[in-house]
Amino acid sequence: MKKFFTSESVTEGHPDKLCDAVSDGILDAILAQDPTARVACETVACTGLVQVMGEITTTAKVDIEKIVRNTVREIGYTDTAYGLDADNCNVIVKLDAQSPDIALGTNETVGGAGDQGMMFGYACDETPEQMPMPIALAHRMARRLTEIRKNGTLNYLRPDGKTQVTVEYEDNRPVRVDTVVVSAQHNPDVDMSQLRADIEREVIRAVIPAALMDENTRLFINPTGRFVVGGPEGDTGLTGRKIIVDTYGGWARHGGGAFSGKDPTKVDRSAAYAARYIANNVVASGLAHQCEVQLAYAIGVAQPVSLLVDTFGTGLAPDEKIANAVRKCFDLSPAGIISGLKLRRPIYQPLSAYGHMGRIDLDTPWENADKAVELRAAL
């Protein structure tokens, strides 16, 4: 059976990703001083303006405006010609304390989830990072776009950019790359034929293995031509609007909750990492070629109200038995997840672009396969 699947990624200069980076930068600064802080931080950005809103309860003293400006500068918005200048943009901050009603269910004595909801995790053996190939390749190209902009290889590039990869599957295994789309923001004076040749050489061919491309692979590079106006000037940015980019590129299901700007008592974030951790270990143990895990929680309740394991017919044991082994090997209470995955550390801003899953380049305990032997033994 032949099928095609497409996933996209975006660079850190994409307006929504800029907002994710600001929100997670504020979270990291607070956690560095106050690991038990409660943070739900949202950011919006448009031409000449960054606004930070949300609910934060903490003893930390942080300069939020400074964090905003440093983040915008590091991403590359340093000129009014880009529509956003780190040194001259307006920064508005409006923060309140966390609702005491929510705090009731997440305090140390109760240890419950901060909200109801369901979260999904997924892993497969298609790539070294145990991610679906379309999103893995899209992320690699998006990171490469940023790398060659920042190191000066293509000094006409600007921060915004998007990538997209369509992979052809036969019998549920990837066999070739069918289509690649790259849209890179650029200075107004660049020649489009030069840009297209440069992007093909420095991004597409540099990232996608030659064995996966053939004479029928289609390349679309800045298909509309000019892409000068971008970032928050081209489209208002908002925290949490790229959740499919953050996870599995649409290949696996998503519970709907965003990650960035949230402390780990929010199961939207911590339980999604835990579900990925479980799926990763199931695949790494050799118990299945692919695995999707769903966790569901009720506000103020410590243990998940449901756990589902689905190996899509690739499991060496029935899914129900694998789920029972998971229950034995993993503490899935919010407190257990936070402790086991060491989530009260300032580790989040680097995750705000190029995916929260499959990040074997970062200190991400949910990518470890340290439970694989224990899982097999539990079966």
Side-chain angles (χ1 to χ4, degrees), residues 138-151:
H139 280 326
R140 292 177 204 170
M141 288 199 301
R143 292 176 66 185
R144 178 64 179 165
L145 261 181
T146 296
E147 177 187 352
I148 61 175
R149 170 177 63 87
K150 288 187 170 181
N151 69 19

Side-chain angles (χ1 to χ4, degrees), residues 356-378:
H356 292 244
M357 314 303 175
R359 297 301 300 274
I360 55 178
D361 58 310
L362 298 174
D363 181 9
T364 47
W366 52 94
E367 296 303 321
N368 294 339
D370 52 356
K371 295 278 191 178
V373 174
E374 186 180 348
L375 263 178
R376 290 187 68 92

Side-chain angles (χ1 to χ4, degrees), residues 51-283:
Q51 182 168 344
V52 177
M53 303 157 287
E55 297 78 43
I56 297 177
T57 300
T58 182
T59 60
K61 305 296 182 184
V62 299
D63 187 338
I64 290 179
E65 180 176 338
K66 183 177 180 181
I67 294 168
V68 171
R69 295 191 188 280
N70 286 346
T71 302
V72 172
R73 184 180 301 106
E74 173 60 27
I75 288 173
Y77 288 105
T78 56
D79 192 321
T80 54
Y82 299 171
L84 190 67
D85 178 2
D87 294 318
N88 296 302
C89 65
N90 293 319
V91 177
I92 299 173
V93 179
K94 181 64 176 74
L95 298 170
D96 294 310
Q98 183 189 54
S99 163
D101 297 340
I102 293 175
L104 282 174
T106 60
N107 62 35
E108 296 299 328
T109 57
V110 177
D115 201 355
Q116 69 178 48
M118 68 286 192
M119 299 81 205
F120 289 91
Y122 178 83
C124 62
D125 58 6
E126 292 180 12
T127 61
E129 57 265 61
Q130 295 195 168
M131 291 286 285
M133 185 174 286
I135 188 65
L137 293 177
H139 280 326
R140 292 177 204 170
M141 288 199 301
R143 292 176 66 185
R144 178 64 179 165
L145 261 181
T146 296
E147 177 187 352
I148 61 175
R149 170 177 63 87
K150 288 187 170 181
N151 69 19
T153 300
L154 299 184
N155 58 14
Y156 56 76
L157 291 179
R158 289 183 176 179
D160 200 356
K162 304 180 78 171
T163 62
Q164 184 172 286
V165 179
T166 302
V167 173
E168 180 181 338
Y169 286 78
E170 288 185 4
D171 298 325
N172 291 318
R173 303 300 295 176
V175 294
R176 60 181 288 273
V177 171
D178 181 74
T179 308
V180 179
V181 183
V182 179
S183 294
Q185 188 188 16
H186 57 84
N187 292 340
D189 55 352
V190 67
D191 178 76
M192 192 52 54
S193 60
Q194 177 192 348
L195 180 145
R196 286 173 172 151
D198 289 347
I199 294 297
E200 179 176 348
R201 181 186 68 253
E202 297 291 341
V203 177
I204 299 174
R205 302 287 178 182
V207 168
I208 299 179
L212 290 174
M213 301 177 69
D214 56 31
E215 66 277 6
N216 295 317
T217 299
R218 298 174 295 171
L219 307 182
F220 297 99
I221 302 169
N222 282 39
T224 62
R226 183 180 174 92
F227 182 14
V228 173
V229 177
E233 181 184 26
D235 187 14
T236 298
L238 182 65
T239 298
R241 202 156 54 179
K242 279 287 178 281
I243 57 176
I244 300 303
V245 172
D246 287 342
T247 51
Y248 308 99
W251 183 274
R253 285 171 283 195
H254 195 295
F259 303 153
S260 289
K262 297 178 180 178
D263 76 80
T265 66
K266 280 71 171 174
V267 284
D268 280 343
R269 175 165 231 159
S270 54
Y273 294 163
R276 163 67 177 175
Y277 183 42
I278 296 167
N280 237 349
N281 277 272
V282 170
V283 172

